[in-house]
Amino acid sequence: MKICINEIMQDGLDIEEEINPNELGLDTVQAHSISNIRVKAHIEKEKDAVTVSCNIKANEKRICSRCLNEFAFLLDNKENFAYSLSGEHIIELNDDIKDTIILDHPIRQLCKPDCKGLCPYCGKNLNESSCGCKGEGGTICRE
């Protein structure tokens, strides 16, 4: 997403754009599981600086760290970026947008806060039903 400094009027500039995740270099990380990224930005120019207020939205498919099920997630971040004007005529936002998306991913993603995960003995998804394992004393599943 490029912003031409000369297009920013005194009352600011509003831009809406949809970005393919491959354009941000997310193809190897998570592009297979993220929709096009919708960015709404309000840009203001001061004497030596440009400030950008962005709303970044995308639909994602994530994998739960406990039960390994896929779940839908709506990425909806509001970010502010500041850029120094040192003879620049164009500002590129893609790297900052990419960083925002990557940093939004928690180390452990959960489908729901109380996800019970998988049985460590038989691997049954405990969100669906109990498995009937003996537990710590034995690894035999009764099912």
Side-chain angles (χ1 to χ4, degrees):
M1 183 172 194
K2 295 181 181 181
I3 300 168
C4 182
I5 302 299
N6 296 334
E7 293 179 5
I8 305 171
M9 300 298 159
Q10 191 169 3
D11 59 341
L13 174 67
D14 291 314
I15 295 177
E16 248 182 88
E17 193 171 313
E18 197 164 288
I19 303 171
N20 185 310
N22 294 332
E23 292 176 38
L24 299 179
L26 294 173
D27 52 337
T28 58
V29 180
Q30 65 215 34
H32 65 282
S33 63
I34 188 169
S35 68
N36 281 350
I37 301 147
R38 296 171 305 284
V39 179
K40 289 183 183 180
H42 178 74
I43 303 107
E44 292 185 0
K45 179 171 71 171
E46 296 178 18
K47 189 188 306 181
D48 295 338
V50 171
T51 57
V52 180
S53 299
C54 280
N55 188 0
I56 303 167
K57 289 186 177 187
N59 293 312
E60 292 185 73
K61 292 179 184 174
R62 293 184 174 182
I63 303 295
C64 181
S65 296
R66 288 185 187 157
C67 69
L68 304 179
N69 281 344
E70 186 175 84
F71 66 98
F73 180 82
L74 174 64
L75 171 75
D76 188 1
N77 279 6
K78 292 182 180 169
E79 295 290 331
N80 294 313
F81 306 118
Y83 301 94
S84 172
L85 292 179
S86 55
E88 299 292 325
H89 299 288
I90 294 178
I91 294 175
E92 178 66 57
L93 295 178
N94 282 2
D95 286 341
D96 290 322
I97 293 169
K98 176 183 177 179
D99 290 347
T100 298
I101 292 169
I102 290 173
L103 291 172
D104 180 67
H105 280 78
I107 293 172
R108 290 189 182 103
Q109 306 175 93
L110 299 178
C111 59
K112 56 186 179 181
D114 61 341
C115 177
K116 296 176 184 174
L118 302 176
C119 172
Y121 301 106
C122 70
K124 182 157 182 93
N125 186 337
L126 299 175
N127 295 310
E128 296 168 358
S129 66
S130 62
C131 64
C133 284
K134 288 186 176 181
E136 291 181 28
T139 60
I140 300 169
C141 182
R142 292 185 192 157
E143 293 199 12

